[in-house]
Amino acid sequence: MKRRNFIQKSSAAAALLTVGGLGLESFAKKTSKQITILHTNDTHSHIEPFDINHHNYPNMGGVARRATLVENIRKENPNTLLLDAGDIFQGTPYFNYYGGEIEFKLMSMLKYDAATIGNHDFDNGIDGLYAQLPNAKFDFVSSNYNFKNTVLDTHVKPYKIFNKSDIKIGVFGIGIELKGLVDNKLYKETKYLNPVEIAQDMSRILKEDEQCDLIICLSHLGYHYTEKHSKIDDLTLASKTKNIDLIIGGHTHTFLPKPTVTKNSAGENVLVNQVGCYGLNVGRVDFHFDSDKNITSKGKSIIV
Amino acid sequence: MKNFILSFFAISLLFSCKNEPNKLVKIEGKLLPITKETESVKEIEDYIAPFKKKVESEMSSVLSYTPVDLVRTDALNESSLGNLMADLCYERANPVFKSRTGKNIDFALFNFGGIRAGITKGNIKTENAFNLMPFENTLVVAELSSEKIVELCNFLIKANTAHPLSKQVKLVATKSGYTFTINNKKIDKTKTYFVLTSDYLQNGGDNMVFFKNPIKLHKLDYKVRNAIIDYLKETDTVKVKLDGRFIMK
């Protein structure tokens, strides 16, 4: 009892001793931080807005407009990441004429932070993708494609960690099975590994080894397939993994009006989002962190 | 000793202060559409401009002319655009195939869904070829057994759709059966057939499973779109007709 008393006094004294130092101020001030994730998928070489007479998307989209939107949000919150879930290539003559150079250069101008690889990104072959990499000032992440025996070996990372105001954000990539979808002569010796097993490994590495506060999966698997397809999709991936906070999807060109909230293998909430295609939309997910126990004790709220 | 304890606590206190954990307390998600209300960044527009000029001039170059609208919906089991596509692909691909194998392609089959846009009457531009065939699909020739050809017939009859077929074929289906000829000859059970299609369909795309596991697969390394462009370039005026190559009675 006496000992405890002493400790309390000592710590009080110690705290007083550090007045004016770096410790006390940060202690008194409860920190709240916000991480903003912006994302696109399946932009498919859509550089310009759709024609004003287009039957589906009149005057929508456009990279120069996307740049304004991203710039404004970055001004509002510098702790912003801009991500893409693949299929950057193919869909307009810009790709056929310039092979993806413009797409990557524009994404670099918009300061994309990371992207994963979609099946159409192999449309000019793995060599075509490799040739355009110098134009990308951002990293490609893919954890379930083994590029060991290809030109992409060492050029694509399984994951990347971003540090924004002391919040560690781990971003890893998952790709779709290429066999039957892409001609073998295009992807060559790229090996496809089981997305669920790899995602389980990745989330464990990012959570336990790397101590990430936030884990994001960039997936090109597709949002959802009916059972007869027996193909792995984002909703299944979410249910069979844990510690992933957000799955940013692509491939199925699914227009989700808001992120889907679903449960992971530990019964916790995961968000799955996908914003259609062609750069018509940007998805935005804000993660609010707090150190105030009065706030954190109330748990996590999700507003979608 | 007392000093040591004091400083120890001071340090540990400082340490715990600095590492006060940040916990995720709230997540908000929303969709941000890119509309005309969003202004463009001029620097980006300026970067795009020269590429845009080049692409637009390429796309607007005139390749050919059509006196009528070419669409995929002007008959039930064939179409003017589908017939054109199948016939021109055959015409472009057969010399390539013959030079490599010494044999002729028997006929061509593509899918209705693969015709991505019609062509309005008037000049046909490069842009039309891109809209018609935006994908990088390449031409392949699958060598099929006569059993697979029967499967193909049954597929077409069941689908009852204007899947593009080339003119070498005549398929007439009635309630009681069907007749199918290739170059006016009935299916010969002792023969194998060379069928031109795209790599996408050969892989089982659009449920054309009869293309899977052919006796032999010949990849022509010739893109469907390039075949279309090459054909249009050498054709002054496109002539198409509905000739009843597939009829359901």
Side-chain angles (χ1 to χ4, degrees), chain A residues 57 126 161 221 257 296 301:
Chain A
Y57 316 118
I126 194 163
I161 292 170
L221 294 177
T296 58
S301 64

Side-chain angles (χ1 to χ4, degrees), chain A residues 23 27 48 61 64-65 68 90 94 96-98 105 280-282 284-286 288-290 293 301 303, chain B residues 14 17 20 22-23 25-30 32-34 38-39 41 47 52 54 58-59 130 136:
Chain A
F27 188 64
E48 294 168 80
R65 291 171 178 169
T68 304
Q90 192 67 264
Y94 283 104
N96 306 97
Y97 281 93
Y98 300 102
K105 282 187 174 168
L280 296 164
N281 302 294
V282 170
R284 174 175 182 164
V285 184
D286 291 289
H288 299 266
F289 290 84
D290 214 295
K293 287 205 174 65
S301 64
I303 306 161
Chain B
L14 266 175
C17 264
E20 192 63 48
N22 285 293
K23 285 213 172 124
V25 291
K26 190 169 74 172
I27 307 171
E28 290 171 284
K30 58 183 149 194
L32 309 172
I34 309 284
T38 321
E39 263 183 59
V41 171
Y47 170 78
K52 181 177 168 164
K54 174 82 163 57
E58 291 277 353
M59 286 298 114
F130 274 87
E136 302 303 293

